[in-house]
Amino acid sequence: MSTHENERHPDFGHVAPLKALFGTFGALLVLTVATYGATYIDLGPLNIWIALGIAVIKGSLVAMFFMHLWWDGKFNAFILICGLLFVMIFIGIAMLDSAQYQAELIPGYAPAIHP
Amino acid sequence: MSDSQSSSHVDSAAHAANPNLQHHFDSMEQQYESGKLGMWLFLVTEILLFGGLFCAYAVYRHNHPEIFTYAHQFLDKSLGGFNTIVLIVSSLTMAMAVRAAQLGQRRLLTTCLALTLACAFLFLGVKFVEYEHKWKHGLLWGKNYEVQGEMAGATEALMIPAAPSQSGSAADVDPNATILPRAARAPEGLAAEVGDHGDGVADAADDHATHGLEPKNVHLFFGIYFVMTGLHGIHVLAGIGVITWLLIRSLRGDFGPDYFAPVDFTGLYWHVVDLIWIFLFPLLYLID
C-alpha cells in the first residue's frame, strides 16, 4: 500500500490499494469485451453458460475488491454467499418444476421444446 | 465481531468526542462495523429481490427459447455494452471515492463522487434512448406489445394464445414455424420487419411464412426486459439521490479518516447496482 506523508490513515476499516482497484477495473473491461466477443462464436447451448461464467467472475471481482470483501471480516462474505445460495436454490427448484411438465400443460404453449 | 473490536486499539476518549458517534455505540469502529453489517444484510435482500426476477427469466427462457432468440435482436448490443462500461467506470470512481474519504483527500473525494454521478446520468440517458425506441415501435409488455405500422393487424392475430379448448387454432399455427432456426431468420432491424410484410396479409393464419418470422407471445420477452431493467433503473435513480447527498456533504467537508461510513456504504450499494447489470447485460442483450 502506498502511503504518502500527508495522508492520514483511518484507525479502522481497510484502505484498498490503488493497484487492486485499477487491476479490477482493467479485468472487468477485458471480461466485458470477452463476453461481447463470445456471442459471435456459436457454441449452441454452451453460449449461455460461458456468458454466465464470465458474469460470475466479473461479479466476484467486484464483490472481492470494489466491495472490500477480500480484506473484510469474513462474516459479510458469509452473508452474501448465503444469499446467493438461497437464490440458486430458488431458481434451481423452480427450474426443476418447470422442466418437469409446465411446457405440456397448454398445447402449443412452448412450441420450441414441446411441439 | 465484538472480539475483534475489544482487541483492536480503540481510543475511546478521542472517539467519544466525534460528533458523528451515535450514543448507542461504544466507538466509531463499532458504529462502522455495525453499519456495514446492516448494509450487507440490506444488499442481500436486494439480491433476493432481483433473484425473483432472474427466476422468472430462467423459467420463461427455458420454456420459450424461440421468443428470446427472436426478440433480443430488437435490443442494441452496442448501447448495452456501452452502458456496461459506463457502470464499470462508475464503480471504479465510487471505489476511489471511498478510498479518498478514508485518506481525507477531500478534493479527490468530491471529484470522484461527481464523476460517479455523471456516469449514473449517462447510464440513464442511454437507457432513455433505448426505452424511447421501443416505445415508439410498440415493443412493449403484455397487451401493449403492438408493432406499429401496417403490420399491426397481422401481429395481433399471431398473439392470440392457443387455449386448450381451441385445439383447432393451435393446429392452424404450424408448430415448426416457431422453432428456433426459423425464428432466428428474423430481420436484423425493426424497420425491415415492419416494411417487408406491410402488403396487407389479411388472413395471417394462412401464411405460414408470416408465422415463421415472429414467434407467438413475443411480449413475454419485453415484459421481462422492462421489469428487470426498469427495477435496475429505479436503483440507479435511488443511487443518484444518495450520491448527490454525499456530494453536498463532501463539499461541506463532513468526511475524513474518522468518518467515511456513508461513502463506504453507498459504495457497497452502488457496486450491487453494477453487479446486477453485469448479469442483466449478457442475459438480455447477448442471447446467441
Side-chain angles (χ1 to χ4, degrees):
Chain A
M1 197 188 305
S2 65
T3 311
H4 301 296
E5 294 304 314
N6 56 348
E7 280 174 355
R8 241 190 82 206
H9 275 254
D11 297 332
F12 54 84
H14 178 267
V15 180
L18 282 178
K19 216 191 266 179
L21 295 184
F22 280 96
T24 305
F25 175 68
L28 288 174
L29 287 186
V30 169
L31 288 170
T32 302
V33 173
T35 196
Y36 194 97
T39 58
Y40 289 99
I41 309 161
D42 187 16
L43 297 167
L46 261 183
N47 272 88
I48 173 116
W49 296 109
I50 290 172
L52 279 177
I54 294 176
V56 167
I57 296 170
K58 286 169 74 180
S60 309
L61 286 174
V62 170
M64 283 193 295
F65 301 112
F66 282 172
M67 299 176 84
H68 286 243
L69 281 181
W70 185 258
W71 305 288
D72 261 4
K74 295 289 166 265
F75 194 65
N76 293 339
F78 174 74
I79 291 172
L80 174 65
I81 289 165
C82 282
L84 293 175
L85 271 180
F86 277 108
V87 168
M88 283 193 275
I89 290 171
F90 176 42
I91 295 179
I93 291 180
M95 290 300 288
L96 279 178
D97 187 57
S98 178
Q100 205 58 43
Y101 58 81
Q102 195 179 343
E104 301 163 28
L105 286 180
I106 306 172
Y109 175 70
I113 60 166
H114 193 263
Chain B
M1 204 165 39
S2 57
D3 291 344
S4 67
Q5 257 138 39
S6 55
S7 62
S8 64
H9 58 101
V10 175
D11 186 0
S12 55
H15 283 141
N18 194 319
N20 294 304
L21 180 62
Q22 300 293 314
H23 67 88
H24 47 280
F25 290 111
D26 286 339
S27 65
M28 287 305 281
E29 180 175 11
Q30 189 199 20
Q31 178 170 296
Y32 169 76
E33 292 292 348
S34 309
K36 197 163 192 176
L37 177 64
M39 199 63 204
W40 271 106
L41 287 171
F42 165 66
L43 294 179
V44 165
T45 68
E46 290 280 67
I47 289 167
L48 293 173
L49 169 67
F50 277 95
L53 297 178
F54 280 110
C55 182
Y57 174 94
V59 168
Y60 278 106
R61 180 159 176 187
H62 174 78
N63 280 320
H64 309 284
E66 80 282 6
I67 291 176
F68 283 75
T69 311
Y70 173 81
H72 94 280
Q73 296 176 96
F74 294 114
L75 305 190
D76 192 327
K77 265 188 204 186
S78 311
L79 287 182
F82 176 74
N83 256 355
T84 307
I85 290 171
V86 167
L87 275 194
I88 290 173
V89 171
S90 79
S91 260
L92 175 71
T93 54
M94 195 68 223
M96 287 294 293
V98 174
R99 191 176 189 276
Q102 287 174 320
L103 297 176
Q105 302 161 325
R106 284 187 184 165
R107 190 177 292 173
L108 184 62
L109 169 63
T110 306
T111 309
C112 284
L113 288 174
L115 283 173
T116 310
L117 207 53
C119 285
F121 277 113
L122 185 56
F123 179 88
L124 284 185
V126 173
K127 211 80 219 122
F128 174 77
V129 170
E130 292 187 80
Y131 278 2
E132 193 195 24
H133 177 264
K134 281 166 198 66
W135 186 271
K136 265 209 316 239
H137 295 290
L139 296 164
L140 299 170
W141 52 88
K143 282 183 198 162
N144 298 305
Y145 177 80
E146 196 178 341
V147 175
Q148 299 296 311
E150 303 93 329
M151 191 50 187
T155 311
E156 218 163 54
L158 298 177
M159 283 170 55
I160 299 167
S165 56
Q166 302 168 307
S167 52
S169 74
D172 282 346
V173 180
D174 180 4
N176 293 326
T178 47
I179 63 166
L180 281 166
R182 301 202 64 181
R185 276 198 270 113
E188 293 288 316
L190 180 75
E193 194 226 11
V194 175
D196 280 359
H197 316 287
D199 20 70
V201 189
D203 193 359
D206 288 338
D207 190 351
H208 284 186
T210 312
H211 288 297
L213 287 170
E214 182 176 316
K216 283 190 297 176
N217 301 324
V218 177
H219 63 89
L220 283 176
F221 176 85
F222 290 102
I224 288 171
Y225 167 81
F226 275 105
V227 171
M228 293 188 93
T229 59
L231 187 65
H232 179 265
I234 288 170
H235 279 79
V236 174
L237 269 180
I240 285 176
V242 180
I243 294 167
T244 307
W245 170 71
L246 287 182
L247 189 61
I248 294 167
R249 289 195 69 181
S250 82
L251 287 170
R252 222 164 57 185
D254 283 3
F255 304 120
D258 298 320
Y259 184 60
F260 54 86
V263 187
D264 198 338
F265 302 163
T266 307
L268 290 178
Y269 169 82
W270 192 251
H271 295 314
V272 162
V273 172
D274 180 28
L275 253 173
I276 286 167
W277 185 259
I278 282 174
F279 282 88
L280 283 182
F281 172 58
L283 288 177
L284 291 172
Y285 289 77
L286 300 180
I287 301 167
D288 269 8

